[in-house]
Amino acid sequence: MGKRWTGLVLQSSRWRKAGQVAGFRSSWPIIVVLLGLLSVPQRAAAQQPATADPDAVRVILPMVQVNAIRLDIPPFDLPAALSVVQVAPAAAGQPGVNLSESLVGVPGILARDRQNYAQDVQISIRGFGSRATFGVRSIRLYVDGIPATLPDGQGQVSHFNFDSAERVEILRGPFSVLYGNAAGGVVQLWSAEGTPTPLTTVGMNAGSHDTFRYSIDTRGTWGPVDYNVAGSAFLSGGYRPHSRVRRESDNARFGVDLGGGRKLTLVANRLNQPTSQDALGLTRAQVDVDPRQVAAAALQYDTRKSILQNQLGAIYEQPLGGDDRLRVMGYFGRRGILQYQSIPASVQQSPLSPGGVVALDTDYGGLDARWTHAGQLAGRAYEFVLGVSADGQRQHRRGYNNFIGDTLGISGALRRNEDDNVDSLDEYAQWYWQLAERWSLLLGVRHDEVRFRARDHYVTAFNPDDSGGVDYTATTPVAGLGFRPSENLRLYASYGKGFETPSFNELGYRSDGLPGLAFDLRPARSRNLELGAKWRVTRELSFDAAAFRADTRDELAVMTSESGRSTYQNVGRTRRQGIELSLTGQLADGWQVSAAFTRLQARFRQAFLACRARPCTMVDMPVAAGTGMPGVPGNYGSLRLRHGDEFGWHEGLDLTGVGAVSVNDTGTERAAGYGVIGVDVGYNFALGKDTRLLLSARVDNLGDRRYVGSVIVNDSNGRYFEPGAGRSFMLGARLVFR
């Protein structure tokens, strides 16, 4: 089966939390700039040759296969919104720590750096995932084809390694449902293959807030094996007190050519984060007085988290003869978390309290097998995929008091001990048919069965056995129709249904105050519609536009919230709708742009009861139909403008604008919008035939203004706001040699 490849994607990278423009209270000034750039006259530029240097900036990528849809369809012909971003944080003076650094100029997705490594980056796609208080919800995550989302729908990007990475693929809209539970969108990180000539990169970054990062990556080939191995260490004192972090990340990818078209890919990664202090959010009054302060409870209970994760995955591919191929993937991982929370000791006196220290030991793994067939129907080419996947999660959850006697912030008596297990079995099929010269059809369907089980081992006279379980099932079809009016223009329409179960985070506490899990929660189900256009303005410049709508029933929202514990309820119908615009490519010789704007309206369409104030033990305030959903800005956009060539000087400018957001279901509290600027400059030296040195300097928050970078939706203590950092500096050096 022949391979199709994509050729037009602009490499862009930077840390989304840059600097704030003085006096901006909303995103509109930045949006005006973005729209202005969209109207700049464009001209073609000569294609640059490919290079093995991982830090070189290119508009025309080396030929890479895009895997987001599992079919051999070029992104330009795909009837769905798909962005492919080349990863090269060093080219923009970034340390390569957060996914948000690589997402400037990508529409629809919003990655908000919390300045808090105990809670991970906050990611939402078209409003899905905005309610997550930690980790990533409603979005499926993958690294080299290996799931980074657990079967219960909770995911994390903390183990994404950007030293070995080549690209990030972001799939939005209806076709993301083909990835199953929690598919409000799909984010996939892909490592680069080994280079024909061995290449080693050693890097170091140092910057504000006692921030340091050390990294090494080596890639090459050895006989039939290509390899890419990377390791890094990141340390930072943090922008706010009590936010120190130490993180070690390692990733290894090996591709083995077994001959006869057979290939085995092995992926191993490790994350060790022994230290990540949690400064907690701030109230409105605290932000207004001093955004750098730390919540008193964080110091009192020494709130913190430690993480250790090891994962191994393998992918085997082989032709079956003719136009048939087989792909089998298997993976296994182990993740341990120990988190100290700020639950008041007085609250833990209740015999039903699970304590203030959470200890999670999770074993997870799965298998995926799929058969691909290519053929012809009515004289037109088609491609068909049939697959099955099974995933399992075995989580041992324990809770302890966060005190012993009068000493706070230490692990005390056992208060919770249970096994939380999830099993899923899913079947899926996809079919792509070029039904006419200008028309194509893409169909898909997926069936999910997800089983939650809890076994309670902490049973006392005052805390009964809370074992139980619940099963969720769904069949989610999707269809897309593509039209090609000209060689450089594509129009499409797609429709699909979505399915999202509660995760163990939402199931963790019952709203009636009794122990046990909230097995009465229903899964959220959605209908998704998208209309889009893709235009190749020139060979090196593309413009994409999409209009979308997602109607959801049984949306999950907070019901009660008290002393750091939240319970959830199904609140009926919601709607997320909007438009996306993006411009990506080369403007002129040595000038590249990546710009995106998203207009998003997210509303509750059905009235329900919510908490009037925090803390809350009973919902007592009506939320009217038409109220905006929390955590979702009405407008957001970003731009990366870059000038320079492979050698010599290069300069970059980043702009990010995010509109105001409500922080609770009632809409009584809001975080103001902001516009931020980042600038960088670098010089690429040729030290010899086989050695290069890249020096860089970067300034974030050029205006040194106050702004709220992210929010904690429906925080139980009213500490909704996580301030962005002030003006920050970063220096970098990378030595590349063969």
Side-chain angles (χ1 to χ4, degrees), residues 251-301:
N251 189 80
R253 178 202 173 277
F254 300 93
V256 185
D257 186 352
L258 301 176
R262 297 173 300 152
K263 184 176 182 179
L264 176 65
T265 302
L266 300 174
V267 180
N269 52 63
R270 171 182 177 267
L271 170 70
N272 181 28
Q273 192 167 304
T275 302
S276 47
Q277 295 176 322
D278 189 351
L280 304 178
L282 298 178
T283 65
R284 167 61 64 191
Q286 290 172 325
V287 170
D288 291 342
V289 171
D290 179 11
R292 295 199 66 175
Q293 68 177 292
V294 59
L299 300 176
Q300 185 181 15
Y301 287 92

Side-chain angles (χ1 to χ4, degrees), residues 370-583:
R370 64 177 181 248
W371 163 62
T372 302
H373 172 73
Q376 288 200 339
L377 177 65
R380 299 286 179 178
Y382 74 84
E383 188 175 1
F384 178 74
V385 170
L386 181 65
V388 59
S389 63
D391 299 274
Q393 173 182 334
R394 300 291 178 265
Q395 185 175 89
H396 187 197
R397 176 187 293 265
R398 299 171 311 284
Y400 302 89
N401 285 339
N402 58 5
F403 65 93
I404 298 177
D406 295 329
T407 304
L408 305 179
I410 61 175
S411 184
L414 179 69
R415 304 302 304 275
R416 185 174 191 173
N417 186 8
E418 66 191 40
D419 291 324
D420 295 334
N421 302 328
V422 185
D423 292 291
S424 66
L425 180 63
D426 315 301
E427 305 87 24
Y428 57 88
Q430 297 170 232
W431 185 57
Y432 179 72
W433 182 34
Q434 192 70 41
L435 60 91
E437 181 179 353
R438 295 181 180 270
W439 294 88
S440 61
L441 180 66
L442 179 58
L443 301 176
V445 64
R446 183 181 181 103
H447 179 73
D448 294 88
E449 299 179 15
V450 187
R451 295 164 49 93
F452 287 80
R453 294 292 182 268
R455 184 177 180 184
D456 189 4
H457 302 293
Y458 184 77
V459 181
T460 70
F462 303 100
N463 193 326
D465 189 341
D466 305 307
S467 302
V470 63
D471 296 346
Y472 300 111
T473 61
T475 300
T476 50
V478 65
L481 183 65
F483 175 58
R484 186 180 65 182
S486 70
E487 188 67 25
N488 295 317
L489 181 64
R490 301 291 187 270
L491 305 176
Y492 68 89
S494 58
Y495 173 84
K497 294 184 177 182
F499 167 69
E500 180 180 356
T501 71
S503 71
F504 269 119
N505 183 40
E506 287 96 5
L507 294 170
Y509 305 99
R510 290 170 48 164
S511 59
D512 57 11
L514 296 177
L517 302 184
F519 290 129
D520 59 332
L521 292 177
R522 298 182 299 277
R525 301 176 186 269
S526 60
R527 295 176 296 151
N528 304 275
L529 175 66
E530 179 177 292
L531 303 174
K534 303 178 182 182
W535 177 33
R536 270 189 189 141
V537 184
T538 70
R539 186 185 178 193
E540 293 86 13
L541 189 68
S542 64
F543 174 77
D544 291 358
F548 58 88
R549 172 181 288 181
D551 290 323
T552 303
R553 73 175 190 272
D554 288 329
E555 183 82 36
L556 286 168
V558 170
M559 184 174 186
T560 65
S561 188
E562 182 183 21
S563 301
R565 308 295 189 193
S566 295
T567 67
Y568 291 80
Q569 61 178 328
N570 296 104
V571 297
R573 294 176 293 123
T574 61
R575 172 171 290 173
R576 300 169 176 88
Q577 61 183 1
I579 59 171
E580 297 172 350
L581 306 173
S582 66
L583 180 70

Side-chain angles (χ1 to χ4, degrees), residues 182-441:
V186 180
V187 177
Q188 302 198 58
L189 180 75
W190 294 95
S191 300
E193 295 184 354
T195 54
T197 301
L199 186 72
T200 299
T201 303
V202 179
M204 176 180 177
N205 293 86
S208 303
H209 319 305
D210 296 326
T211 298
F212 298 91
R213 186 174 188 270
Y214 311 93
S215 63
I216 184 170
D217 173 71
T218 183
R219 58 187 70 174
T221 57
W222 184 43
V225 179
D226 73 88
Y227 61 88
N228 185 345
V229 181
S232 66
F234 172 69
L235 305 96
S236 178
Y239 169 63
R240 298 164 59 199
H242 199 73
S243 55
R244 184 171 298 277
V245 63
R246 176 187 168 193
R247 174 187 290 180
E248 301 166 2
S249 176
D250 308 297
N251 189 80
R253 178 202 173 277
F254 300 93
V256 185
D257 186 352
L258 301 176
R262 297 173 300 152
K263 184 176 182 179
L264 176 65
T265 302
L266 300 174
V267 180
N269 52 63
R270 171 182 177 267
L271 170 70
N272 181 28
Q273 192 167 304
T275 302
S276 47
Q277 295 176 322
D278 189 351
L280 304 178
L282 298 178
T283 65
R284 167 61 64 191
Q286 290 172 325
V287 170
D288 291 342
V289 171
D290 179 11
R292 295 199 66 175
Q293 68 177 292
V294 59
L299 300 176
Q300 185 181 15
Y301 287 92
D302 190 16
T303 49
R304 61 199 187 275
K305 179 192 285 187
S306 60
I307 306 170
L308 178 62
Q309 175 176 302
N310 294 284
Q311 182 174 286
L312 177 65
I315 300 174
Y316 174 75
E317 299 170 278
Q318 121 171 18
L320 298 177
D323 293 319
D324 297 279
R325 290 190 64 85
L326 174 68
R327 177 189 183 275
V328 179
M329 181 274 292
Y331 71 102
F332 173 80
R334 175 167 293 173
R335 183 178 178 90
I337 296 177
L338 181 63
Q339 182 176 14
Y340 290 79
Q341 301 175 311
S342 59
I343 310 300
S346 59
V347 174
Q348 299 172 63
Q349 300 303 320
S350 168
L352 302 180
S353 170
V357 178
V358 178
L360 299 175
D361 291 320
T362 306
D363 291 334
Y364 58 91
L367 295 170
D368 179 273
R370 64 177 181 248
W371 163 62
T372 302
H373 172 73
Q376 288 200 339
L377 177 65
R380 299 286 179 178
Y382 74 84
E383 188 175 1
F384 178 74
V385 170
L386 181 65
V388 59
S389 63
D391 299 274
Q393 173 182 334
R394 300 291 178 265
Q395 185 175 89
H396 187 197
R397 176 187 293 265
R398 299 171 311 284
Y400 302 89
N401 285 339
N402 58 5
F403 65 93
I404 298 177
D406 295 329
T407 304
L408 305 179
I410 61 175
S411 184
L414 179 69
R415 304 302 304 275
R416 185 174 191 173
N417 186 8
E418 66 191 40
D419 291 324
D420 295 334
N421 302 328
V422 185
D423 292 291
S424 66
L425 180 63
D426 315 301
E427 305 87 24
Y428 57 88
Q430 297 170 232
W431 185 57
Y432 179 72
W433 182 34
Q434 192 70 41
L435 60 91
E437 181 179 353
R438 295 181 180 270
W439 294 88
S440 61
L441 180 66

Side-chain angles (χ1 to χ4, degrees), residues 99-110:
L99 177 63
S100 54
E101 300 173 23
S102 300
L103 297 181
V104 174
V106 180
I109 187 169
L110 185 60

